[in-house]
Amino acid sequence: MKQILIINGPNLNLLGKREPTIYGNRSFVEYLETLEAQFPDVQLRYFQSNHEGELIDKIHELGFDVDGIVINAGAYTHTSIAIADALSAVTAPAVEVHISNVHARESFRHHSYLSAKCKGVVVGLGLLGYEMAVRYLLRSEY
Ligand SMILES: O=C(O)[C@]1(O)C[C@H](CCCOc2ccccc2)[C@@H](O)[C@H](O)C1
């Protein structure tokens, strides 16, 4: 069975509770249930942490076994060389996702340390971005 690791970074545990105009009104757990229903033959493994080291540890733990990584590192996107290095270190291909259109927001959100380590980046499509990333990673070839 194909396995996809979905990683959410800091504050994304607040999805559906705060800032709905930017991030929507659904919790990620609710969304994940709909995603699992769309991919019944795929094991979607979900991890969220507010701590950079825990995100890195999870990438190390599963990044050599899963078929792909979907990562929304939250604000660490714009600061973390360490997470970028972790993505480089493992064998699973990664796709970066951002719910909001970061390019239409503050300039400090316009740079990502992770994009160069990913096969692609999905930005501004809301939670649909995660589905797009999963679909891409399930393709047979890159
Ligand atoms: O648009 C995205 O997905 C972001 O990765 C979200 C990050 C922020 C995550 C905060 O998520 C919240 C969700 C609900 C309520 C409050 C924060 C932000 O720092 C990035 O620049 C873009």
Side-chain angles (χ1 to χ4, degrees), residues 9 56 61 96 120 131:
I56 291 166
E61 175 193 350
E96 180 181 348
E131 179 188 334

Side-chain angles (χ1 to χ4, degrees), residues 10-12 14 18-19 23 72 74-75 78 98-100 102 109:
N11 298 300
L12 286 159
L14 296 176
R18 296 282 188 283
E19 299 191 64
Y23 300 113
N72 182 346
H78 316 299
H98 297 290
I99 297 165
S100 68
V102 291
R109 301 184 196 276

Side-chain angles (χ1 to χ4, degrees), residues 6 26 28-44 131 134-135 138:
I6 299 175
R26 276 192 292 177
F28 198 83
V29 171
E30 288 169 354
Y31 172 69
L32 194 58
E33 288 169 1
T34 68
L35 209 53
E36 286 168 336
Q38 287 179 273
F39 300 99
D41 301 328
V42 179
Q43 184 179 5
L44 300 178
E131 179 188 334
V134 169
R135 288 190 184 283
L138 291 175

Side-chain angles (χ1 to χ4, degrees), residues 52 74-83 108 111-113:
E52 187 177 18
Y76 285 140
T77 303
H78 316 299
T79 62
S80 181
I81 296 171
I83 294 175
F108 65 79
H111 176 262
S112 166
Y113 282 100

Side-chain angles (χ1 to χ4, degrees), residues 4 34 36 41 54 60-61 80 91 118-120 124 130 132:
I4 302 290
T34 68
E36 286 168 336
D41 301 328
E54 289 186 359
H60 292 170
E61 175 193 350
S80 181
T91 55
C118 293
K119 292 293 184 182
Y130 291 87
M132 296 299 103

